[in-house]
Amino acid sequence: MRKWSAYEVAIKQFDKAADILNLDEGLRKLFKKPKREFIVNFPVKMDDGSIRVFTGYRVQHNDARGPYKGGIRYHPNVDLEEVRALAFWMTWKCAVVGVPFGGAKGGVTCDPKEMSKEEVERLTRRYTAEIAPIIGPTKDVPAPDVNTNEQIMAWVMDTYSVESGYTVNCVVTGKPISVGGSVGRREATGRGVTFITKEACKHMGKQLSQCSVAIQGFGNVGSITAKLLSSEGARVVGVSDATGGVYDESGLDINKLLLHVKQHGSLEGYPGHKKELSSGVLELPVDVLIPAAIENQITAENMHRIKAKIIVEAANGPTTPDAEEHLLKKGVFIVPDILSNAGGVVVSYFEWVQNIQKLFWDEEEVNQKLHQIMQRAYNEVWEIANNRKVDMRTAAYILAISRVANAVKARGIFP
Ligand code: NAD
């Protein structure tokens, strides 16, 4: 059975659409390579007085349409190839929803769960100082991703500001509201996923209230998606995180689960919690499956056991190409990551705009504008899928590649 790296998955997805578009060979080569890969090895003083050296990355894939944009991930599996894939996906995601950013991603190979808050702060500040030469409000604007949050974004902003000599809040998005964050940003990715799930159900001739849902990943994206979907009438029957998961055919109490995670840090210890549901949640008998954890979760190994008829990719790169091919043949409707989880970058764009204008919007305005952009992007992708008789991922790539290619062509190749 083939083992895919995230970057191989990304390239395979890109090639499928580039072939249909008959994309210029030169542009194809340009898009397959990131513009810049920045690797930093830096020391952090640990609480016991020892010094540890960490490796961090910032990969900037393409900035033809605007400043680079993309999250920062802290995880033991972070490596150059993973960050490269995530940066690549960001270029297409920003283009699908039409926000004026390019694609980038950052990460540090570390396990923040094994570190104290002070150690994570020192790591964040030093990593920020190391990548400071290549980030900035008009250059590259980071945001949260796996294991990073508002507090970490505040440290990024503070470190960059101290080094600049004045407060620069638009260097990063996903900040706390007290330092220029946008209302609605924390919920934005989950809100976007919820909206897309509703559209996907409609497409399959179902109401949300008739659908059962399973969600892998109960962090920022997974837990908010669970909460919003259940408040809109869907029956969320299974959720999981890295420790395991819970399943109740009659529907889970999401508020109770959220409280448990707040108090205990994970789903572990929740009544009925089972370790094997961590990935087993993907195989539950549900209408809608939402992977919201990490890459390469729906693979050739488990594809035959997937029962959902709709898959909404909240995580980046959760489905390998061989698994996708099998599921599409079975008639499963898959809404791709670069569309489904774009709500985060859309509201990050709103946060950046509000910071630059020094003018803040209320939550209703943020959510209404988010809704408008997600609806437009979904309709555009669906129209391409329908007209060209391709799957939704290929349609999303066709839309995105065309937009980025047009920007490159308009700018011309320097000199
Ligand atoms: P997070 O750190 O808040 O949560 C990640 C969750 O996934 C945790 O519950 C963790 O326990 C779980 N998890 C990790 N490994 C797992 C495994 N092997 N099996 C089951 N569960 C596992 O991260 P997040 O911000 O919610 O991001 C989740 C996904 O969504 C990632 O793929 C990320 O790139 C993507 N995403 C995030 C945003 C955002 O705004 N945060 C935007 C777009 C896409």
Side-chain angles (χ1 to χ4, degrees):
M1 200 172 301
R2 176 168 178 184
K3 273 241 176 237
W4 295 83
S5 76
Y7 196 61
E8 288 167 342
V9 171
I11 292 294
K12 180 93 178 165
Q13 297 169 342
F14 168 84
D15 272 337
K16 189 169 170 189
D19 285 347
I20 294 172
L21 276 173
N22 212 0
L23 186 68
D24 174 89
E25 217 28 62
L27 287 181
R28 199 188 273 249
K29 280 192 187 136
L30 177 71
F31 293 156
K32 280 191 184 183
K33 288 222 190 272
K35 179 156 157 188
R36 182 186 277 146
E37 298 185 335
F38 201 63
I39 306 178
V40 289
N41 297 302
F42 57 92
V44 176
K45 212 179 272 172
M46 307 306 281
D47 290 344
D48 65 4
S50 66
I51 291 169
R52 265 185 69 188
V53 177
F54 290 88
T55 301
Y57 307 88
R58 186 76 189 166
V59 174
Q60 297 174 331
H61 174 257
N62 184 288
D63 67 345
R65 299 179 58 262
Y68 297 105
K69 186 94 193 71
I72 296 173
R73 177 175 293 196
Y74 289 172
H75 196 277
N77 294 347
V78 164
D79 62 16
L80 181 58
E81 191 151 333
E82 181 184 67
V83 181
R84 191 185 286 150
L86 292 163
F88 182 86
W89 282 320
M90 282 307 297
T91 298
W92 313 122
K93 189 181 305 180
C94 292
V96 166
V97 286
V99 294
F101 286 125
K105 202 82 175 194
V108 179
T109 316
C110 64
D111 189 353
K113 301 230 152 59
E114 303 278 289
M115 297 165 71
S116 70
K117 190 175 174 200
E118 290 70 26
E119 287 170 339
V120 172
E121 178 175 353
R122 289 195 290 273
L123 176 137
T124 301
R125 289 187 181 280
R126 183 63 190 246
Y127 169 66
T128 305
E130 297 289 347
I131 64 166
I134 61 161
I135 63 169
T138 56
K139 288 198 233 172
D140 181 353
V141 186
D145 191 70
V146 173
N147 290 330
T148 58
N149 55 24
E150 289 178 14
Q151 175 59 77
I152 290 174
M153 296 308 112
W155 291 328
V156 171
M157 174 233 162
D158 183 68
T159 306
Y160 188 88
S161 298
V162 169
E163 295 218 330
S164 305
Y166 59 98
T167 296
V168 190
N169 38 26
C170 42
V171 64
V172 72
T173 58
K175 300 177 292 287
I177 289 169
S178 59
V179 290
S182 175
V183 288
R185 171 60 185 92
R186 190 187 303 159
E187 299 81 14
T189 309
R191 192 174 292 283
V193 172
T194 303
F195 171 75
I196 295 289
T197 306
K198 245 192 284 180
E199 290 297 303
C201 290
K202 227 191 281 168
H203 173 84
M204 296 296 270
K206 285 205 169 205
Q207 301 263 332
L208 209 50
S209 56
Q210 301 169 297
C211 288
S212 57
V213 183
I215 303 176
Q216 184 197 36
F218 205 67
N220 170 283
V221 180
S223 70
I224 287 165
T225 302
K227 192 177 156 92
L228 293 177
L229 279 176
S230 83
S231 72
E232 295 219 21
R235 194 159 41 91
V236 179
V237 297
V239 298
S240 80
D241 65 13
T243 69
V246 288
Y247 173 56
D248 183 345
E249 205 189 341
S250 61
L252 294 162
D253 184 336
I254 304 300
N255 286 329
K256 244 170 132 174
L257 283 158
L258 286 167
L259 187 66
H260 181 90
V261 170
K262 199 170 168 196
Q263 287 168 345
H264 304 276
S266 74
L267 293 170
E268 196 161 22
Y270 193 85
H273 176 274
K274 287 199 181 79
K275 229 174 167 171
E276 62 274 17
L277 277 175
S278 190
S279 55
V281 75
L282 301 166
E283 300 166 20
L284 292 173
V286 288
D287 301 299
V288 183
L289 174 61
I290 304 183
I294 50 170
E295 304 91 67
N296 289 353
Q297 295 302 298
I298 301 172
T299 66
E301 196 278 315
N302 61 4
M303 65 189 187
H304 297 285
R305 300 191 297 272
I306 305 281
K307 298 171 191 79
K309 280 275 167 259
I310 298 170
I311 298 178
V312 178
E313 293 184 335
N316 286 306
T319 316
T320 61
D322 38 11
E324 177 165 33
E325 202 184 317
H326 168 83
L327 292 166
L328 289 174
K329 270 195 200 133
K330 259 179 50 182
V332 177
F333 187 62
I334 304 175
V335 192
D337 45 10
I338 57 171
L339 172 61
S340 310
N341 70 28
V345 81
V346 169
V347 179
S348 273
Y349 164 57
F350 296 162
E351 182 174 331
W352 182 74
V353 168
Q354 292 171 79
N355 287 161
I356 290 169
Q357 296 188 336
K358 311 277 180 241
L359 181 71
F360 286 87
W361 312 342
D362 62 24
E363 196 160 355
E364 201 185 324
E365 186 171 1
V366 168
N367 290 344
Q368 182 239 327
K369 285 189 158 88
L370 167 66
H371 187 268
Q372 231 173 21
I373 289 184
M374 295 303 288
Q375 178 81 67
R376 186 187 62 203
Y378 184 90
N379 291 348
E380 284 175 332
V381 171
W382 168 239
E383 209 176 301
I384 294 172
N386 200 24
N387 290 343
R388 293 199 180 236
K389 302 285 168 257
V390 293
D391 56 273
M392 289 290 276
R393 187 186 317 279
T394 306
Y397 271 91
I398 286 175
L399 179 63
I401 295 170
S402 308
R403 285 183 174 156
V404 181
N406 285 341
V408 172
K409 283 184 205 153
R411 288 176 64 155
I413 303 295
F414 178 83

